[in-house]
């Protein structure tokens, strides 16, 4: 689509970013800004709101009649779930900024969200096993499934009551129980890890 404000147009009028891990930065997407009016656009400026950034800006401070320039926009989620913002293009040609709607999904590791994100266990005797703690795993990407899902727990911890299938549908959740089975005296830490063919690396929750 094309959004207009005065003689400045932007294309597309909306950018949607794929699920991106919290604190990570997505690949840039490009917006083309065009002066479709009859006079040069002076005082040109671009800005973004929300968890989005400007990776490249080829627009300068003025744009000749009929000329175009491009802006590269990135997504760096600071939280999980659906996140939104705007790209704003201002110039002396209009008092109202031209806007591009920005949206993306933030996940603990791409499309994966653990709740709780970290699990604590009570003091448990060596050779004993704690009661299981339930962790809910959500595919926060509402468009794409997670395929070939596999869960593992690091040494000293075990999985119990895993009801997560090999495929986790868009927006769906499943649960897994995690038990603490210490093999030595003292504090122990570990991770609950999820791997999927839908993303590289692994998503983890602290244990």
């Amino acid at each position: 689509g094309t959004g207009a404000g005065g003689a400045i147009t932007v294309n597309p009028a909306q950018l949607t970013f794929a699920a991106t891990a919290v604190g990570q930065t997505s690949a840039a997407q490009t917006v083309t800004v065009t002066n479709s009016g009859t006079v040069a656009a002076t005082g040109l400026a671009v800005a973004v709101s929300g968890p989005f950034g400007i990776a490249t800006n080829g627009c300068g401070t003025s744009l000749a009649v009929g000329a175009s320039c491009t802006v590269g926009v990135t997504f760096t989620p600071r939280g999980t779930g659906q996140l939104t913002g705007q790209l704003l293009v201002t110039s002396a040609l209009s008092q109202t900024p031209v806007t591009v709607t920005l949206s993306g999904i933030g996940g603990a590791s791409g499309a994966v969200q653990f709740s709780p994100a970290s699990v604590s266990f009570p003091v448990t005797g060596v050779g004993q096993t704690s009661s299981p703690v339930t962790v809910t795993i959500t595919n926060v990407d509402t468009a794409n499934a997670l395929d070939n899902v596999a869960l593992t727990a690091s040494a000293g911890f075990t999985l119990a009551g895993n009801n997560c299938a090999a495929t986790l549908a868009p927006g769906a959740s499943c649960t897994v129980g995690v038990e603490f089975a210490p093999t030595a005296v003292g504090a122990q830490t570990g991770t609950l890890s999820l791997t999927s063919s839908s993303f590289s690396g692994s998503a983890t929750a602290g244990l």
Side-chain angles (χ1 to χ4, degrees):
T2 299
I8 295 293
T9 60
V10 290
N11 188 42
Q14 179 174 347
L15 293 180
T16 301
F17 291 84
T20 303
V22 172
Q24 300 299 308
T25 299
S26 71
Q29 295 192 48
T30 300
V31 174
T32 300
V33 180
T34 301
N35 180 358
S36 57
T38 57
V39 296
T42 58
L44 192 68
V46 295
V48 290
S49 65
F52 301 91
I54 297 175
T56 59
N57 179 9
C59 289
T61 58
S62 64
L63 194 60
V65 174
S68 297
C69 59
T70 59
V71 179
V73 181
T74 57
F75 173 46
T76 306
R78 295 186 289 269
T80 58
Q82 188 73 41
L83 304 170
T84 60
Q86 288 184 318
L87 170 69
L88 304 163
V89 182
T90 57
S91 76
L93 296 179
S94 174
Q95 293 182 343
T96 304
V98 185
T99 61
V100 177
T101 300
L102 308 173
S103 64
I105 295 171
S109 183
V112 180
Q113 179 178 343
F114 292 96
S115 181
S118 180
V119 179
S120 295
F121 293 89
V123 174
T124 304
V126 174
Q128 303 297 309
T129 300
S130 71
S131 297
V133 176
T134 299
V135 177
T136 300
I137 300 166
T138 302
N139 177 5
V140 297
D141 189 337
T142 57
N144 302 293
L146 294 178
D147 297 318
N148 300 308
V149 170
L151 288 165
T152 57
S154 57
F157 302 88
T158 58
L159 301 182
N162 179 10
N163 72 357
C164 294
T167 298
L168 191 58
S173 298
C174 63
T175 59
V176 61
V178 183
E179 297 171 334
F180 177 38
T183 56
V185 175
Q188 295 185 38
T189 59
T191 55
L192 170 64
S193 300
L194 182 149
T195 58
S196 167
S197 60
S198 301
F199 59 87
S200 60
S202 61
T204 61
L207 302 174

